[in-house]
Amino acid sequence: MRAISLIQQFAEIVLAVAIAPLFAGWIAQCRAWLQNRSAPPLTQPYRMLRKLFHKDVALAANASPLFRLAPYVLFGTMVLAAGIIPSIATDLPFARAADAIALIGLFATARVFMALAAMDIGTAFGTLGARREMMIGFLAEPALLMVLFNAFLLYGSTALPSLVDGHATHPSVIDPSVIFAAIAFVMVLLAENARIPIDNPATHLELTMIHEAMLLEYSARHLALVEWATDLKLFNYACIGFALFVPWGIAIHGADSSSALLLAVAALVAKLILAGAALALIESLSAKLRIFRAPEYLAMAFLLAVLGLLVHLLLGANVNA
Amino acid sequence: MHRSHLIAELLRLLAAGLLLISFAMLSRRRTQRLITLYAWQGAILFLSTCLVAYDAGLTELYYSAALTLLLKVITLPWILHRLIRRLGAQWDSEQLVNIPVTMLVGLALVIFAFGLAQPISMLATTITRHTIGIALAVILLSFLMMITRRKAVTQVVGFLAMENGLFFAATSATYGMPMVIELGIALDMLVGVFILGIFFFQIREQFDSLDLHHLESLRED
Amino acid sequence: MNAEPWLSYASASLPVQALSWLLILAACWCLLGLIGLLRPRSIHFVAHALFPLGALVCVGIMLLAGSFLATGHAAETMILPLGLPDLPFHLRLDALSGFFLLLLGMAGAGISIFAAGYFRAGEGTAPGLMGLQYHIFLASMALVILADDAYLFMVAWETMALSSYFLVTSQHRIPEIRRAGFLYILMAHLGALCILLSFGVMQGGSWLFTFDAMRAASLTPFWATTAFILALLGFGAKAGLVPMHVWLPEAHPAAPSPVSAMMSGLMLKTAVYAMLRVGFDLLHVRFWQWGALVLALGLFSALFGAIFAAVQTDMKRLLAYSSIENIGLIFTGIGLAILFDASNLRLFAALALAAALLHALNHSLFKSLLFLATGSVLHATRQRSLGKLGGLIRTMPWVATFALVGTLAIAGLPPLNGFVSEWLLLQSFLFTPQLPHAFLNMLIPLGAAALALTVALAAYVMVKFYGIIFLGQPREATLAQAHDANWLERLGLFWLAAGCVAIGVQPQVALRAAGAVTGMLFGQAVTSGASIWQIAPIAPEQASYSGLIFLAGILAVVGITFVGVRLLAHGRMRRTDAWDCGYPWQNSRMQDTAEGFGQPIRHMFGAFFRMERELPAPADATPRYRIQIEDRLWRALYLPTARGVQRLADAVSVLQGGRLSIYLLYSFLTLIGLLVFVL
């Protein structure tokens, strides 16, 4: 394990934790611009976090230790995931700890802890949110797995560093299976991160909430950690998308250290800006779906991913014939 | 060689787009959207025919492409749009089976079509022979769309989409059909749509609705 | 530090082979059971003296089997002077039986220790008798795994069925329990009939019923397929594969909790063992159609089990359906292994089989843990229905903590053990496009999607299970007096939970054990790239997973965050009422119920169920909401078959006219017939 890879690992984690709220703030700002409102400043999420950390926790009398532990576990899983996903470099010691399927498992751990914590106090909204969140979870998993299957067929691996390296050695031209998989991935990203059209992150109507309903009982530092973890989850999903589909700029194995790293950071920031704007555009153009239209939406994502798989098996295998 | 490779990639992309549109037609609820999707299908056919004509150097196919553009992208969608506006039929069309199940069945049909097409594509000699599977899948999916819908207009769109699939299959397997046959088929389609339009008015007068479920009352009892 | 040289020294210095020691330990179980008959009514003697000794025997078996697997001995055989005159008992210990003995010992130890603390007086059968049945059950399972000829196998198999029947009907005064027991023994016998026929086909004309003879027999494809199908029916019925699963959701809730744990955790795995033995060892050709069939049945069972578990309102029935789901997953792995093997892709077959074996081991641990936890809950609250539980994490913290470990494990979450086997199974699906068959290589990848759906659905079900029982507000006032488990029960739960965590964090040990089995059957081990830090079954660049880094990483970040927040901000906290969006009252009826949690599944997968609903009308004086969900297969398959059998029996019973002269006429006719044909 070289020293440079340790430095890259550390830098990546710190960068992810630091930038994630900024990314969420940028998306909020783009949404505001698209909806002809004036936006809060980009540093608003940081101010919110600071405010929350300094408040006293107001805990329900019947909250169990699980409720108090869950925000930390959530934050921990998201930080670990940020360390595993190759957002700026592929030569990371933690990258060996998980391939993409294990990453999905890590996100599932976070989701289950969140759902259990939501059921802990025993309010109607918490249990409702837990039930809905788990439902979205199990509908999104097949689609996500099929996207990874596509990646595996194209590059022979599900480990993200190998995928990024594979992209670098033989860049693919416009491949329909890649495009289908990318669209499916974006649809799943919207579903898993509680964005429109599955869930409205800015809603105040409890009966329409999925993700927010699970957070209703949290306050102060717990809420801050959960919010930060949510922002990190979106950041992580975006970085997975970049690693799978547009990995240009990531410092690959054996690259010359400092300049490659700076280039990677710059590329990441540029990609995040574009992705944030695109996400805000999609959110502004779509309407929130009824909860039982969500299976159709996710079935569409699953279908796209499977179509990509089948098209690759039919056409891609014969492209040289 | 490089140019040929690029054209092959673009054709794959267009074929995949065609498949996607057929699935979208399976899942869309509103009739108006269906007609727009049909127009997009026609546009993709036009582009792919042009590309094949360019690559193989057959000028006949250019005429065929122009005919496709005129008929399937402009004329037929315009006729259909007028039809549904006059019928007042821009409503939600109901499905017989719910959408996720329909899509799963569609997926199974696609696998079936791809599996069948693999030995066939070994026999053909065109640049697009690998897309025969996609053409077959489009035909089957349009048929499925006709089966799972209840309103009459959508069944017509399914019928037209099926013809699109046939056309695509012909282009990819044998560089198109003889011009005469193609003109004949185009004329059949046009006449068919006119006659069906007349029938729709009759059905609506008789039953006050275009739901084909009402036709069941005409059986012997 | 490598433990192998120490283990090989230890076993080399033993004068007798491992098989003899295992037999002696199994005999110890029978002895313990018989000793229990001396003072059958004494709870203290049976529960606190005999059961812990039984647990020690389990630990001994586990260590022996583990050392046998680790040192890679060749197969050991033995012939006992018992049995039929020309077919004495043959026994065999090889990697496959060693793995399942390891499973038996490991889970059995935890269950026995728990049972020592669990059994109380006044619950139907006398404790001494129950101890006898329990230990005979364990011993017969060990003999099934060690059997090397069809006769000993059937004797042990039937003993297993019979002893478990008596255990299931321990509270025999309740009619539902008797009915469940009857269904159970009926299905067990039907399965045994199929197994017997399968053995009959496999001996291939030599009329020697030893397994060696069956290995040497060469069968035509037709007969080999017949034997396989019969074995699948028979062992599938015991394992709980759909459509032979109907007994499982009835028998598991009816039995006392340690017995449910044993049945789910151990007995179903003996059926898996037997399927592997027949499919991979006794039959030496495999056809891809078998693999496709097993794969389809496995995936369907998995989905079926998960969907039904999601709509249950009885906690033990929920776990029973979850067992069906997990058995489906194991058979999915077996089906994949057969498919790959039939196409000569032995490395991938080894991967799929290792996934199935590991899942069997993991399931025995976490399912037993969960069943035992429900046993504690049952003792403390006397409630089985999910609608009357809740909030037990406050009054039963130990049970809740161990149950949390079990829940996270069964939901397939890293860094626990359930995730490892599911990860391996998904990895083996990734290679299915390489199968050489035209439609299969496109259809089977979709099986991976069904698998992902099932696994995620299992997480949904387990959140429901844990959340409704242990979290939230208590739904009944009596739950406030629930007491926590006693120290013996806690020890048993701890043993199983520790096993879950250990295998999750260091899966390469279990993977090496599974690798010994795949090495024996396919000649390929799946331990390349395995180290203390990670497992990478095919190649590190292709995929790798490290449970240790997951656990260490999460704990490190949790610790750093906790300390950091306290340092940079503060740790002040005050207790208030719950926010609940400002609603002034909140009682326990306002939180979600088990039916409510199952509503999305009922809505989306309605075609699987047969639902009877009673909805309240606005004008009802006493509004009632009732929903009853039934298995479609019961009405569609089992009841018609039962009616057909009844009609056949009625038709045949015409022979039993009742008049003596008719019976004498039968004997007379038979005598005439024999005289004509023989002379």
Side-chain angles (χ1 to χ4, degrees):
Chain A
M1 211 164 27
R2 311 181 294 160
I4 187 66
S5 48
L6 276 176
I7 295 178
Q8 280 173 341
Q9 179 76 77
F10 185 68
E12 189 175 281
I13 296 180
V14 167
L15 188 70
V17 171
I19 285 192
L22 191 62
F23 184 50
W26 166 245
I27 297 180
Q29 196 162 57
C30 288
R31 269 177 76 170
W33 284 339
L34 283 168
Q35 291 167 10
N36 213 13
R37 296 184 272 129
S38 61
L42 272 180
T43 55
Q44 182 64 16
Y46 294 108
R47 288 200 209 150
M48 177 72 106
L49 285 176
R50 189 160 161 270
K51 178 179 80 167
L52 283 172
F53 273 119
H54 284 286
K55 285 191 169 190
D56 289 1
V57 170
L59 197 63
N62 59 346
S64 67
L66 180 66
F67 186 78
R68 294 164 59 185
L69 181 64
Y72 292 98
V73 171
L74 201 62
F75 191 67
T77 50
M78 287 306 142
V79 168
L80 182 64
I84 293 176
I85 300 170
S87 48
I88 54 176
T90 62
D91 191 10
L92 304 167
F94 278 4
R96 220 51 83 53
D99 70 330
I101 301 180
L103 271 175
I104 298 180
L106 194 57
F107 289 132
T109 307
R111 181 169 54 233
V112 166
F113 262 96
M114 202 66 246
L116 286 177
M119 294 185 79
D120 189 51
I121 308 283
T123 63
F125 302 115
T127 51
L128 182 74
R131 187 216 300 178
R132 287 178 173 177
E133 174 83 1
M134 294 306 295
M135 181 182 87
I136 301 288
F138 82 70
L139 291 172
E141 290 249 336
L144 205 47
L145 189 73
M146 284 289 118
V147 170
L148 293 177
F149 219 120
N150 263 331
F152 178 75
L153 283 183
L154 286 167
Y155 300 109
S157 160
T158 51
L160 287 172
S162 309
L163 283 174
V164 173
D165 286 335
H167 251 290
T169 50
H170 43 90
S172 70
V173 288
I174 304 175
D175 192 340
S177 50
V178 170
I179 293 182
F180 284 175
I183 299 177
F185 185 80
V186 170
M187 289 173 82
V188 170
L189 186 151
L190 291 172
E192 288 266 0
N193 289 289
R195 300 255 141 204
I196 294 178
I198 295 288
D199 186 15
N200 187 353
T203 186
H204 299 291
L205 304 169
E206 293 88 1
L207 289 178
T208 64
M209 290 176 180
I210 299 179
H211 181 78
E212 288 291 314
M214 298 194 293
L215 309 183
L216 288 171
E217 300 294 331
Y218 277 121
S219 57
R221 57 179 180 273
H222 296 154
L223 186 59
L225 283 175
V226 172
E227 294 277 352
W228 208 340
T230 310
D231 296 336
L232 259 177
K233 184 171 175 182
L234 184 59
F235 179 86
N236 284 335
Y237 260 91
C239 288
I240 294 180
F242 296 151
L244 284 174
F245 302 112
V246 282
W248 307 306
I250 300 182
I252 60 174
H253 193 84
D256 167 31
S257 55
S258 51
S259 62
L261 208 56
L262 285 174
L263 177 67
V265 172
L268 181 66
V269 170
K271 284 186 234 176
L272 283 174
I273 291 177
L274 287 172
L279 226 69
L281 186 66
I282 298 175
E283 287 205 279
S284 301
L285 289 177
S286 320
K288 181 178 170 317
L289 291 172
R290 266 175 54 199
I291 188 75
F292 280 118
R293 293 279 165 99
E296 291 172 16
Y297 172 83
L298 287 165
M300 193 77 211
F302 169 68
L303 195 80
L304 277 172
V306 172
L307 275 183
L309 183 74
L310 292 174
V311 164
H312 176 82
L313 284 174
L314 179 73
L315 299 178
N318 300 327
V319 77
N320 300 319
Chain B
M1 199 56 231
H2 184 70
R3 182 199 76 174
S4 203
H5 188 69
L6 186 63
I7 291 188
E9 293 268 341
L10 283 173
L11 281 169
R12 272 170 52 196
L13 196 58
L14 290 173
L18 201 64
L19 190 59
L20 191 61
I21 290 185
S22 310
F23 261 106
M25 286 170 82
L26 262 187
S27 71
R28 285 301 117 206
R29 285 189 151 83
R30 294 214 216 106
T31 322
Q32 216 166 12
R33 289 272 180 82
L34 280 178
I35 298 175
T36 321
L37 283 172
Y38 173 69
W40 275 106
Q41 243 186 5
I44 288 189
L45 280 180
F46 164 67
L47 283 173
S48 73
T49 319
C50 282
L51 276 174
V52 171
Y54 176 58
D55 187 68
L58 294 168
T59 48
E60 275 197 350
L61 283 179
Y62 282 119
Y63 294 137
S64 182
L67 194 63
T68 310
L69 183 68
L70 189 63
L71 210 56
K72 294 183 187 164
V73 182
I74 301 178
T75 317
L76 272 175
W78 181 75
I79 295 180
L80 285 170
H81 270 299
R82 262 192 48 174
L83 193 63
I84 65 173
R85 241 172 303 157
R86 283 185 58 187
L87 288 173
Q90 297 123 316
W91 55 70
D92 273 356
S93 79
E94 291 162 30
Q95 308 269 76
L96 277 179
V97 188
N98 69 345
I99 288 185
V101 172
T102 321
M103 296 219 263
L104 279 177
V105 174
L107 205 58
L109 283 176
V110 169
I111 294 181
F112 176 62
F114 280 13
L116 276 182
Q118 269 176 338
I120 300 177
S121 57
M122 291 302 143
L123 294 172
T125 52
T126 61
I127 188 180
T128 52
R129 63 182 183 278
H130 302 297
T131 53
I132 291 179
I134 293 191
L136 193 57
V138 168
I139 298 175
L140 290 176
L141 285 174
S142 319
F143 213 137
L144 183 67
M145 193 189 109
M146 280 175 68
I147 296 176
T148 59
R149 299 274 178 161
R150 286 173 60 168
K151 301 280 167 94
V153 184
T154 50
Q155 300 214 335
V156 171
V157 178
F159 168 66
L160 293 173
M162 227 162 90
E163 198 269 338
N164 272 352
L166 276 167
F167 182 79
F168 191 66
T171 325
S172 41
T174 58
Y175 285 149
M177 310 171 262
M179 203 42 145
V180 177
I181 298 185
E182 210 175 299
L183 282 174
I185 293 183
L187 191 63
D188 276 339
M189 306 276 310
L190 210 52
V191 170
V193 170
F194 275 134
I195 297 184
L196 282 168
I198 297 176
F199 263 128
F200 289 161
F201 278 109
Q202 286 300 319
I203 295 176
R204 199 179 63 148
E205 256 187 55
Q206 182 73 19
F207 295 112
D208 260 336
S209 149
L210 276 181
D211 193 334
L212 290 175
H213 170 65
H214 292 291
L215 284 175
E216 289 172 30
S217 64
L218 294 174
R219 63 172 184 246
E220 292 278 335
D221 254 340
Chain C
M1 207 199 94
N2 202 350
E4 289 179 16
W6 186 88
L7 284 170
S8 64
Y9 169 72
S11 51
S13 65
L14 290 173
V16 192
Q17 49 176 351
L19 186 53
S20 329
W21 281 108
L22 286 166
L23 269 181
I24 293 174
L25 287 174
C28 282
W29 270 331
C30 300
L31 196 61
L32 285 172
L34 288 169
I35 291 177
L37 285 178
L38 293 176
R39 303 212 339 231
R41 305 236 164 249
S42 161
I43 275 282
H44 186 75
F45 174 61
V46 170
H48 293 175
L50 294 181
F51 272 86
L53 286 175
L56 277 176
V57 172
C58 288
V59 172
I61 290 195
M62 174 182 100
L63 290 173
L64 269 173
S67 74
F68 177 78
L69 282 174
T71 55
H73 279 170
E76 299 174 11
T77 56
M78 184 188 284
I79 301 181
L80 288 180
L82 303 167
L84 295 174
D86 55 346
L87 185 61
F89 286 166
H90 288 69
L91 294 142
R92 183 189 185 89
L93 175 65
D94 55 11
L96 185 59
S97 31
F99 187 86
F100 279 91
L101 281 174
L102 175 69
L103 192 157
L104 185 67
M106 201 162 169
I111 300 176
S112 294
I113 282 284
F114 182 92
Y118 180 82
F119 286 125
R120 319 261 158 104
E123 292 191 341
T125 317
L129 204 52
M130 215 148 135
L132 171 68
Q133 294 155 0
Y134 184 94
H135 289 105
I136 297 279
F137 189 25
L138 278 174
S140 57
M141 280 197 279
L143 279 179
V144 164
I145 296 177
L146 286 172
D148 198 36
D149 72 278
Y151 183 64
L152 173 61
F153 187 91
M154 292 309 297
V155 166
W157 189 263
E158 292 286 7
T159 314
M160 197 172 78
L162 204 58
S163 52
S164 55
Y165 167 73
F166 286 119
L167 283 170
V168 164
T169 53
S170 292
Q171 296 176 301
H172 48 85
R173 295 196 172 84
I174 304 174
E176 286 91 32
I177 293 188
R178 283 202 305 271
R179 185 179 158 272
F182 171 72
L183 187 59
Y184 169 54
I185 196 102
L186 179 67
M187 294 301 297
H189 271 307
L190 287 175
L193 193 63
C194 293
I195 297 169
L196 202 53
L197 287 173
S198 171
F199 281 141
V201 169
M202 276 197 289
Q203 47 79 23
S206 65
W207 293 105
L208 291 168
F209 283 91
T210 59
F211 282 1
D212 278 327
M214 293 183 195
R215 284 181 195 107
S218 59
L219 301 167
T220 63
F222 172 71
W223 285 115
T225 311
T226 316
F228 186 81
I229 301 278
L230 283 169
L232 186 63
L233 279 176
F235 297 126
K238 178 63 83 176
L241 210 57
V242 171
M244 289 85 69
H245 64 286
V246 273
W247 61 272
L248 228 159
E250 310 287 334
H252 279 65
S257 302
V259 175
S260 310
M262 280 227 296
M263 284 168 59
S264 232
L266 303 176
M267 191 179 73
L268 302 188
K269 311 303 178 304
T270 54
V272 171
Y273 157 80
M275 192 72 228
L276 288 174
R277 176 67 75 188
V278 166
F280 289 105
D281 193 20
L282 297 184
L283 293 169
H284 36 231
V285 285
R286 276 158 284 287
F287 300 105
W288 67 266
Q289 291 92 338
W290 299 356
L293 178 66
V294 174
L295 181 65
L297 278 179
L299 279 175
F300 187 69
S301 303
L303 199 57
F304 182 90
I307 290 175
F308 268 81
V311 298
Q312 294 303 315
T313 54
D314 175 329
M315 59 180 178
K316 288 178 81 166
R317 258 183 103 96
L318 188 152
L319 290 178
Y321 275 110
S322 167
S323 286
I324 298 181
E325 179 226 326
N326 282 290
I327 288 290
L329 289 179
I330 296 175
F331 272 84
T332 304
I334 296 179
L336 269 183
I338 298 179
L339 260 177
F340 281 132
D341 191 44
S343 319
N344 265 324
L345 298 164
R346 310 200 114 208
L347 181 59
F348 305 144
L351 181 61
L353 189 63
L357 287 171
L358 202 58
H359 198 73
L361 180 61
N362 292 338
H363 184 242
S364 71
L365 290 174
F366 53 60
K367 188 46 71 65
S368 312
L369 176 58
L370 285 176
F371 264 115
L372 297 181
T374 60
S376 291
V377 169
L378 199 55
H379 258 191
T381 64
R382 308 226 153 274
Q383 298 287 0
R384 237 171 65 181
S385 161
L386 286 172
K388 297 203 161 65
L389 294 167
L392 289 173
I393 196 173
R394 284 155 216 115
T395 48
M396 302 174 68
W398 281 98
V399 173
T401 314
F402 293 130
L404 182 64
V405 173
T407 307
L408 295 176
I410 197 172
L413 301 176
L416 293 174
N417 58 349
F419 175 73
V420 181
S421 48
E422 281 162 4
W423 183 77
L424 284 173
L425 201 52
L426 283 170
Q427 289 289 328
S428 45
F429 260 104
L430 287 178
F431 295 104
T432 49
Q434 296 189 23
L435 287 170
H437 308 280
F439 285 100
L440 282 185
N441 70 340
M442 286 195 269
L443 205 51
I444 292 185
L446 297 190
L451 184 66
L453 179 67
T454 307
V455 167
L457 202 47
Y460 181 96
V461 170
M462 283 307 139
V463 165
K464 165 180 169 168
F465 172 80
Y466 193 81
I468 293 188
I469 295 180
F470 291 104
L471 302 174
Q473 302 179 46
R475 290 177 179 80
E476 289 282 315
T478 53
L479 294 176
Q481 290 116 24
H483 58 86
D484 208 348
N486 61 38
W487 74 273
L488 278 169
E489 292 178 346
R490 282 183 219 173
L491 188 58
L493 291 172
F494 170 74
W495 171 268
L496 293 169
C500 288
V501 175
I503 296 185
V505 168
Q506 292 280 280
Q508 56 274 11
V509 179
L511 208 53
R512 222 178 347 211
V517 180
T518 61
M520 178 187 107
L521 296 174
F522 297 121
Q524 300 263 9
V526 281
T527 50
S528 73
S531 70
I532 195 173
W533 287 107
Q534 67 182 28
I535 53 169
I538 301 291
E541 302 76 43
Q542 188 258 314
S544 60
Y545 166 70
S546 169
L548 190 57
I549 292 188
F550 268 45
L551 187 63
I554 296 177
L555 286 178
V557 178
V558 168
I560 293 176
T561 317
F562 189 81
V563 169
V565 166
R566 291 285 185 292
L567 284 179
L568 295 174
H570 58 80
R572 290 198 297 271
M573 187 177 77
R574 58 189 162 86
R575 294 266 181 178
T576 65
D577 297 331
W579 160 235
D580 199 24
C581 296
Y583 280 83
W585 333 105
Q586 41 159 358
N587 61 28
S588 63
R589 308 305 305 164
M590 289 180 186
Q591 55 185 352
D592 219 352
T593 57
E595 292 88 346
F597 229 91
Q599 190 256 351
I601 310 295
R602 282 203 305 273
H603 184 93
M604 285 191 274
F605 294 104
F608 277 78
F609 310 113
R610 214 189 96 85
M611 286 192 278
E612 277 170 22
R613 268 206 288 207
E614 196 182 305
L615 296 171
D620 273 349
T622 54
R624 246 170 71 99
Y625 175 79
R626 193 183 73 94
I627 184 162
Q628 186 172 328
I629 297 190
E630 258 184 30
D631 195 346
R632 267 193 204 276
L633 282 169
W634 180 249
R635 298 240 169 175
L637 186 63
Y638 284 87
L639 285 183
T641 313
R643 274 195 292 265
V645 169
Q646 184 71 36
R647 268 200 295 268
L648 195 62
D650 286 337
V652 172
S653 71
V654 166
L655 284 176
Q656 197 181 23
R659 291 169 56 171
L660 193 59
S661 41
I662 303 283
Y663 297 153
L664 288 172
L665 184 63
Y666 290 154
S667 310
F668 184 63
L669 288 172
T670 315
L671 185 59
I672 303 280
L674 281 174
L675 286 171
V676 165
F677 283 113
V678 171
L679 292 182

